[in-house]
Structures are given as structure tokens and as C-alpha cells.
Amino acid sequence: MMTTPATEQFTVAAGPYAAPRLATSLDECFFYHTMDIPGHGTVAGEWDLRAGVTDYVGRVPVRGKRVLDVGTASGFLCFQMERAGAEVVAFDAARPQQLNVVPYSRSDYLRYYRAFQQRLPRLHNSFWLAHHAFESRSRVVYGDIYDIPAAIGPVDIALFGSVLLHLRDPFQALFSALRLVRESVIVTEPYYSLDHYLPRGALWRRLWRRLAALATGTRGLTRKPALVFLPDCREPQHPLTWWSLSPELVCRFLGILGFEDYRVSQHVQRYNGHPLLMFTVVGRRTLRSPECLA
Ligand SMILES: C[S@@+](CC[C@H](N)C(=O)[O-])C[C@H]1O[C@@H](n2cnc3c(N)ncnc32)[C@H](O)[C@@H]1O
């Protein structure tokens, strides 16, 4: 029987927002992002988006915009967008039960589950430690990604950074957030279906990016709305990774949801010290949601 971790209790501040928490010790934290935090210096995380953040968020101007950062993790993108002049609402899972763990029969599901049970509160702490250090005014909603509360109210932009690949139902998560979005949505995902570990050096990276772009074209991966199912019972992998989505699939999803004007870009980010090729789709709202769904 799975239980809620005894260590984490949420206080709701007002409406859907969580009351800010104080986390002061790095020992209480799990950092997903590498971040330069006042008073703490550079804290290492799995993903270092510092050099490529502008590409990661699709070069969308956020000054004066209200932004929903879906799956904020340690909040690097949230604080970055706030610094760029946005009012940010950060969203993440409240409880480990809300994470979609791949139920591999061959591996110890409960062991993974318990690992996430311990990790999620530490991930929340990393956000709050940085929130405090940056004197951030961003607000946080913890909840069900498939039913993001309408009480958040309208936002101008929603950002889905490396989230859809972790969800059993990526379309429903987009649907749930995009009901609130007035202007644009940014979706960034890794190209998991290719070997994207690129050599160092700007020239090499440009060459590899070009080759990868050609390869994805000829393989039909970016030309088709493909959703590739990654878990394989013979080789259980990362227990939170379900899909490789093609950029075309993301565009199709967005088109259905009223964002028919989109552009796709590619960029390289650093994951655990390795370069990883990613894509970003920026969709602009062209049609309103049907009234019955708003
Ligand atoms: C891979 S991290 C991405 C972090 C950040 N958006 C970025 O692009 O760097 C995925 C984030 O989504 C959250 N997440 C994953 N599955 C979720 C779910 N089912 N419900 C709510 N949040 C979820 C995780 O807790 C984590 O913070």
C-alpha cells in the first residue's frame, strides 16, 4: 500500500497557490537544474540550461506576460523568466502518486516509487530555497497536471519544458493547461529517437545539428506526427520516461487546441555533462477553445 510521505504537508496560501516554504539547507534539496544561487554559489543539477536558456524557451519575449511554467522542478526557468520581466505561476506535482511511473513488471516498481517519494519533497525544497534566495514573487500551484486548476486564471504563455515525455497522456496535459492560455505555448522536448550526444566545440555542434536535422527529415521522424513508445520490458530504462514525441506531433496537438500558427527550432543543451539535441515548438493562439471547454 502506497502512502503519502509523512514529511511533506502542503499549506494552501490562497486560492490554488501553495504557501511559500522556507528551505535553507542544500542538504534538504534535490537540484534538477544547475543554478547560480545568491548565498549558495553554483549548485549542480542534472540539467545545465544556463548557456542555452533563450533557445530552450523558444526566444519568446516574456516581459510583462503572465506565464505558467508547467513542471517547474527546481525552478530555473521560472526564475529566469521572472528576471526577464514575467509574472510566473510555477506548477508541479503535489505528491509522488501523481508522477506517472512506468509500471515495469520486471523491475522493482516499489523501489522506484519509494525513490521518487523521497525525491519529490527534496525537489520542492530546491525550488523554495532558490525562491527565497532570489527573493522571487512567483507563485506555486501543486496538483494534478491532467486537471490544472482553472482558478489560476488566464495566462499569456504556458511553458512545457521536458514534461510531455514523462506523461502517460501528454495530450490531456496540454489540453488541461492550454484552456488557460491567451497567447502562446512553448513546448521543448529532447530528440530521444536519435543518438544525440554531440561532440564538444561550436563548429562540431553546428555540423551535428545540421546532420541531425537532415537525418530526422530523411528518417521521417520530424515529418510525421510520431509518438514513439520508449519503455521496453527487456531493457527497463528511466522509469519516468514514456515517449519520444516528434515536433510534428506537438504541432498537431497544438493545432487541435487552437494554436495553428507554430514554429519549430532546434538547440543543444547540457544533460549530465553531455550535449543533447532538443527541439522547441512555439505555438500562437489562432482560435479560442470551444466555449464548453473554457
Ligand atoms: C524533466 S522535469 C522538467 C523541468 C523543467 N520544466 C525544465 O524544462 O527544465 C519534469 C518536471 O515535471 C514534473 N512532472 C512530471 N510528471 C508530472 C505529473 N504527472 N504531474 C505533475 N508534474 C509532473 C516533475 O516533478 C518535474 O518537476
Side-chain angles (χ1 to χ4, degrees):
M1 175 80 178
M2 294 167 183
T3 52
T4 310
T7 49
E8 207 172 29
Q9 300 293 332
F10 290 102
T11 318
V12 172
Y17 303 103
R21 291 201 233 152
L22 190 60
T24 50
S25 162
L26 291 178
D27 295 340
E28 301 171 326
C29 301
F30 164 77
F31 275 88
Y32 173 88
H33 298 113
T34 295
M35 294 164 78
D36 301 313
I37 304 180
H40 296 278
T42 300
V43 180
E46 293 175 348
W47 286 83
D48 187 352
L49 304 177
R50 289 174 300 171
V53 63
T54 315
D55 287 328
Y56 195 91
V57 298
R59 300 189 168 271
V60 173
V62 295
R63 179 163 299 283
K65 304 290 183 190
R66 189 162 195 253
V67 182
L68 180 63
D69 177 21
V70 183
T72 194
S74 301
F76 173 77
L77 301 169
C78 164
F79 305 125
Q80 193 72 25
M81 291 188 292
E82 193 179 11
R83 210 169 301 137
E87 174 200 336
V88 186
V89 177
F91 181 91
D92 217 299
R95 300 185 305 277
Q97 292 93 324
Q98 288 169 329
L99 300 175
N100 298 167
V101 180
V102 180
Y104 284 114
S105 300
R106 277 188 187 223
S107 63
D108 188 346
Y109 178 80
L110 267 181
R111 186 167 64 85
Y112 284 129
Y113 177 79
R114 290 201 186 100
F116 291 122
Q117 195 173 33
Q118 285 166 9
R119 205 175 88 164
L120 191 66
R122 292 162 57 80
L123 183 69
H124 292 160
N125 284 344
S126 71
F127 179 94
W128 288 114
L129 182 139
H131 187 273
H132 181 68
F134 287 124
E135 299 179 5
S136 170
R137 298 164 66 91
S138 60
R139 299 213 275 174
V140 179
V141 178
Y142 291 125
D144 177 0
I145 203 163
Y146 298 123
D147 191 15
I148 293 179
I152 291 173
V155 296
D156 302 302
I157 299 170
L159 169 64
F160 279 80
S162 302
V163 179
L164 298 181
L165 73 157
H166 298 302
L167 302 178
R168 219 165 20 216
D169 189 342
F171 184 83
Q172 174 61 28
L174 282 172
F175 172 78
S176 130
L178 297 198
R179 289 176 295 177
L180 306 179
V181 176
R182 291 185 286 222
E183 291 180 12
S184 308
V185 51
I186 306 161
V187 178
T188 295
E189 287 283 312
Y191 278 112
Y192 263 136
S193 301
L194 296 173
D195 178 11
H196 292 302
Y197 290 95
L198 309 181
R200 287 164 190 263
L203 188 66
W204 269 110
R205 286 209 200 161
R206 275 210 299 279
L207 185 64
W208 270 92
R209 236 187 278 184
R210 184 120 194 92
L211 285 174
L214 286 173
T216 51
T218 49
R219 282 180 175 203
L221 257 177
T222 59
R223 302 260 162 90
K224 288 188 181 148
L227 185 62
V228 178
F229 184 68
L230 296 177
D232 182 342
C233 65
R234 292 163 302 184
E235 274 182 73
Q237 300 282 334
H238 191 294
L240 282 183
T241 301
W242 290 82
W243 313 105
S244 170
L245 297 90
S246 73
E248 279 60 29
L249 178 75
V250 173
C251 295
R252 290 258 189 122
F253 279 176
L254 299 188
I256 301 225
L257 295 169
F259 296 75
E260 291 184 356
D261 177 5
Y262 29 67
R263 63 178 163 81
V264 181
S265 54
Q266 300 189 29
H267 44 97
V268 176
Q269 303 293 341
R270 292 197 79 74
Y271 173 65
N272 280 333
H274 297 280
L276 180 71
L277 186 67
M278 307 192 74
F279 69 85
T280 294
V281 179
V282 177
R284 213 169 49 80
R285 187 175 274 293
T286 48
L287 297 165
R288 290 176 52 197
S289 304
E291 285 300 326
C292 58
L293 303 178

